Amino acid sequence: MVRNQTIHMRNPIVSYDFSAKCYKFPSYLRRAAIVEALGKVSSYRSNLANWEAAESAKRGKQPSLPQVGYVYPAMYRSGMFVCTEMYRATVNVFIRNTWDWVLVDFRKSDADYILRRCKNCKECVLALQKRGKKWFLDFVFQTSAKLPDVPIKDTSILAVDLGLSSACTCSIMTRSARSSERNFFPFRENATPWNMR
């Protein structure tokens, strides 16, 4: 199994020279790529074991090998993303056959929206996303809310999952953990998380 072994005092020799083949490849992205690959292989093996353990009449089609997907790892601060000014940041990306820092200008309306609406929220790690032919920096914020004190039998939950292939998926769940309603909201053309309605 492949592991992210780095050269240090306890492990001076590794079985590969990653730096020679992928010069300046950020360690954050290397670890994310390894974890993603391990997750896909682990999922495939688990699905295959479940398929083999099932009765032959009920098991259906054999699980297929994992496909290559488009994964966008998080942009950790200082290593991948640095906010240099109010409406400007630098992002570490692969461009012109090397890893380099690129200056990114924010739209004033987007930055002002974040400052106005998210000033009391915890800022999480952002992600670089490709939608169509354009790239976007997706900022993530975390907040908490106090739920009303009502009996659990009278409670329904609205869950909103912000997605990659759609703007979001909204599900309403009842106490029995059954989804009573589910809707997918697609992206509008040239939509960003700040101008979607």
Side-chain angles (χ1 to χ4, degrees), residues 6-13:
T6 55
I7 298 174
H8 53 75
M9 298 290 266
R10 291 181 297 167
N11 186 27
I13 301 170

Side-chain angles (χ1 to χ4, degrees):
M1 188 179 288
V2 177
R3 296 280 183 194
N4 183 27
Q5 297 176 326
T6 55
I7 298 174
H8 53 75
M9 298 290 266
R10 291 181 297 167
N11 186 27
I13 301 170
V14 292
S15 57
Y16 56 87
D17 189 2
F18 195 88
S19 296
K21 292 185 178 180
C22 301
Y23 179 64
K24 289 171 62 177
F25 191 74
S27 60
Y28 299 111
L29 298 184
R30 181 173 66 224
R31 289 185 194 116
I34 291 169
V35 168
E36 177 69 17
L38 287 174
K40 286 190 176 194
V41 170
S42 174
S43 175
Y44 169 72
R45 286 183 174 174
S46 174
N47 290 339
L48 185 62
N50 292 338
W51 181 81
E52 289 171 344
E55 295 177 28
S56 58
K58 294 183 179 179
R59 63 184 178 188
K61 190 176 172 184
Q62 180 177 349
S64 59
L65 288 168
Q67 300 297 311
V68 174
Y70 294 99
V71 178
Y72 303 98
M75 305 284 290
Y76 292 98
R77 287 198 180 273
S78 74
M80 297 296 299
F81 169 82
V82 177
C83 195
T84 56
E85 297 174 28
M86 181 75 153
Y87 302 112
R88 181 174 280 183
T90 54
V91 180
N92 195 5
V93 294
F94 189 75
I95 187 169
R96 296 181 288 276
N97 290 328
T98 187
W99 287 92
D100 204 357
W101 291 93
V102 174
L103 203 58
V104 177
D105 290 319
F106 301 138
R107 280 195 301 223
K108 184 178 183 312
S109 60
D110 292 345
D112 290 344
Y113 179 91
I114 289 173
L115 290 172
R116 188 173 62 252
R117 301 281 179 146
C118 305
K119 63 182 175 186
N120 296 325
C121 301
K122 178 186 173 189
E123 186 177 353
C124 301
V125 178
L126 69 150
L128 185 64
Q129 298 281 339
K130 186 175 184 183
R131 290 192 283 275
K133 295 183 178 181
K134 294 186 178 182
W135 290 88
F136 296 90
L137 281 173
D138 288 347
F139 289 83
V140 180
F141 295 91
Q142 180 180 335
T143 187
S144 58
K146 185 168 178 2
L147 298 175
D149 191 16
V150 295
I152 192 83
K153 62 181 178 149
D154 301 329
T155 304
S156 294
I157 298 171
L158 169 65
V160 180
D161 181 18
L162 301 178
L164 300 177
S165 57
S166 63
C168 67
T169 304
C170 296
S171 302
I172 297 176
M173 296 179 69
T174 60
R175 177 175 66 110
S176 61
R178 275 187 259 167
S179 181
S180 60
E181 183 77 29
R182 178 179 292 167
N183 282 314
F184 298 90
F185 296 94
F187 283 115
R188 290 194 335 249
E189 192 173 334
N190 298 325
T192 67
W194 299 283
N195 67 14
M196 288 185 292
R197 290 192 181 112

